[in-house]
Amino acid sequence: MKKNLKKLDTKFSKKIDKLLKVKKIKNGFKVLDLFSGCGGMALGFEAIGFKTIGYDNNKDCCLTYEENLNSKCFNLDLNKTNIVEKTDVVIGGPPCQPFSVGGLQKGILDSRDGFPAFLKTIQKVKPKLFIIENVRGLLYKNKWYLDKIINFLFKLNYKIDYQLVNMSEYLVPQNRQRLIIVGYKNSFEFPKKSLQKISAEDVLGNYFDYAPEQSKYLTKSMDNYIKKYETASKCINPRDLKKKEPSRTLTCRNLAGSTSDMMRIKLKNGKRRKLFIREAARLQTFPDWFNFCGSEQSQFYQIGNSVPPMYSYQLALKVLDCLTNKNKKIIRSVRFQPSFL
């Protein structure tokens, strides 16, 4: 589908391609990106001029990171590694399965918990600021664990703020709720909400009427299964992608899996097809020039697990303001919004 991207460009996709270019001239600040994934959060920071270094235990993620960011990504298990490298900022999304609504929510008892390694790194490298991205489940059944994390960070003399953010309010065409925790020494302000909402059509454009030869269509039996599923669950609105609205949350399962919950487009002829890698990437606000490594399933997983680079870009602007104490420029991260489409 790469050769067809040009004719399917939208105003939004063109601006994303330019806005999120990796800056060759750096701003002098270094960022450690823990549990980095393929580099969604790092891309927003690199576009502002930060120098990032990634750490992830998935080889495909590290290959994708290095191919697109021109930065090193170390393929290692952070739970078994001590990082002592000096840095200004630490960012990352510790594995969220222990706190996800769909992940059994065992919290600290879950071996997939990445918070101990993240907190240990904060304690050792003593950054000026850090950002943790995680699922909203940490605010509910596992709220006791969030309190424990915050108390630990308070003892390290950080001021702590956190917000439950819906990415659709920050120029991301997706109703994606995530918890953002920020620790800092002086002052920090979260990005302002946008007056604009970006719809799936703003990002995908003619993809809604486009069916390449390699399209994967849902079978009649799959359509019947979906109909039964939506009837049983009293689903008022079908789960097909809607043109005029942001997408629902992209996850590994609904991108890569053949389930009743899968992300799909309903064509004019009534057929449904699965999303392509490029379509999923656009909904997550990755530029079209951003290449993913590994199998199709691996690429879908990388996209589903990512922080949308468009939101990360706005966070990075606020981080730069915090590090340079340029409070008078606090609104610059939203100045481009009125003419974004």
Side-chain angles (χ1 to χ4, degrees):
M1 287 191 51
K2 273 281 188 181
K3 62 183 179 181
N4 298 312
L5 285 175
K6 287 297 180 184
K7 69 176 183 179
L8 297 173
D9 276 348
T10 65
K11 289 182 180 180
F12 185 88
S13 67
K14 288 179 180 178
K15 290 200 174 185
I16 285 289
D17 286 355
K18 293 179 180 179
L19 185 72
L20 295 179
K21 284 288 186 182
V22 173
K23 291 287 188 298
K24 293 183 179 180
I25 299 176
K26 301 302 180 182
N27 59 31
F29 295 109
K30 185 167 71 173
V31 177
L32 296 188
D33 188 5
L34 309 184
F35 305 101
S36 64
C38 66
M41 186 179 278
L43 177 57
F45 278 78
E46 289 273 348
I48 302 301
F50 287 90
K51 171 66 178 176
T52 69
I53 301 174
Y55 295 87
D56 200 273
N57 64 359
N58 184 290
K59 185 178 180 180
D60 287 345
C61 285
C62 290
L63 290 173
T64 298
Y65 195 109
E66 293 188 349
E67 177 171 336
N68 294 282
L69 298 177
N70 296 317
S71 296
K72 187 68 179 175
C73 185
F74 295 94
N75 181 206
L76 48 80
D77 187 347
L78 285 170
N79 291 312
K80 300 177 181 178
T81 307
N82 288 323
I83 298 175
V84 294
E85 188 169 357
K86 290 185 177 181
T87 188
D88 301 291
V89 180
V90 175
I91 61 176
C96 64
Q97 294 95 331
F99 314 103
S100 171
V101 173
L104 302 181
Q105 296 200 45
K106 292 183 179 179
I108 198 170
L109 300 178
D110 198 309
S111 61
R112 299 167 295 176
D113 179 17
F115 272 100
F118 196 102
L119 297 178
K120 184 188 294 184
T121 302
I122 297 297
Q123 187 176 34
K124 285 183 175 295
V125 305
K126 298 179 176 62
K128 298 171 184 175
L129 182 146
F130 63 82
I131 297 176
I132 304 172
E133 180 266 354
N134 219 274
V135 293
R136 64 189 178 91
L138 194 55
L139 277 172
Y140 301 109
K141 185 176 179 179
N142 289 293
K143 179 63 165 56
W144 64 272
Y145 192 35
L146 175 61
D147 292 338
K148 193 171 183 178
I149 291 167
I150 290 175
N151 286 334
F152 177 87
L153 295 169
F154 270 137
K155 292 179 181 178
L156 298 180
N157 296 317
Y158 286 99
K159 300 174 184 176
I160 307 296
D161 280 342
Y162 63 86
Q163 279 189 1
L164 182 62
V165 172
N166 189 327
M167 301 294 172
S168 69
E169 298 176 325
Y170 299 89
L171 298 173
V172 176
Q174 187 184 157
N175 283 308
R176 186 184 189 88
Q177 289 190 322
R178 287 296 183 266
L179 176 67
I180 307 296
I181 306 168
V182 182
Y184 53 94
K185 297 290 187 179
N186 45 30
S187 63
F188 178 84
E189 286 194 28
F190 279 90
K192 305 294 184 182
K193 293 181 181 180
S194 172
L195 298 176
Q196 291 178 291
K197 279 289 182 83
I198 308 300
S199 70
E201 186 178 38
D202 291 331
V203 179
L204 300 183
N206 292 329
Y207 274 116
F208 278 92
D209 306 313
Y210 183 57
E213 292 181 3
Q214 61 269 44
S215 295
K216 295 180 180 179
Y217 295 100
L218 278 65
T219 64
K220 186 175 181 180
S221 62
M222 293 170 76
D223 280 335
N224 289 334
Y225 181 85
I226 287 173
K227 185 176 180 180
K228 291 180 181 178
Y229 171 83
E230 292 180 342
T231 300
S233 61
K234 298 180 180 180
C235 180
I236 299 174
N237 297 312
R239 306 305 296 273
D240 304 313
L241 205 60
K242 297 174 179 62
K243 282 188 176 184
K244 303 299 182 182
E245 300 176 13
S247 163
R248 56 195 169 95
T249 305
L250 271 66
T251 68
C252 299
R253 194 181 79 159
N254 67 26
L255 286 176
S258 297
T259 71
S260 57
D261 195 44
M262 74 171 66
M263 300 294 293
R264 58 196 184 246
I265 287 177
K266 191 172 184 178
L267 303 172
K268 288 181 178 179
N269 61 11
K271 287 186 176 181
R272 289 182 172 114
R273 66 172 179 82
K274 296 181 67 174
L275 295 188
F276 284 91
I277 294 293
R278 233 35 276 168
E279 292 171 321
R282 278 195 181 184
L283 290 173
Q284 198 71 296
T285 66
F286 279 99
D288 285 341
W289 54 259
F290 195 97
N291 295 311
F292 298 90
C293 300
S295 66
E296 180 180 79
Q297 184 181 54
S298 174
Q299 293 180 50
F300 274 133
Y301 270 62
Q302 291 173 53
I303 294 169
N305 280 328
S306 294
V307 175
M310 186 65 248
Y311 178 71
S312 174
Y313 176 87
Q314 295 170 74
L315 262 183
L317 282 170
K318 294 300 187 181
V319 170
L320 186 59
D321 284 334
C322 178
L323 296 178
T324 57
N325 289 318
K326 292 181 179 178
N327 294 324
K328 292 182 180 179
K329 296 183 179 180
I330 206 73
I331 63 170
R332 65 180 171 179
S333 63
V334 295
R335 285 180 180 170
F336 61 89
Q337 293 181 6
S339 60
F340 204 74
L341 289 179

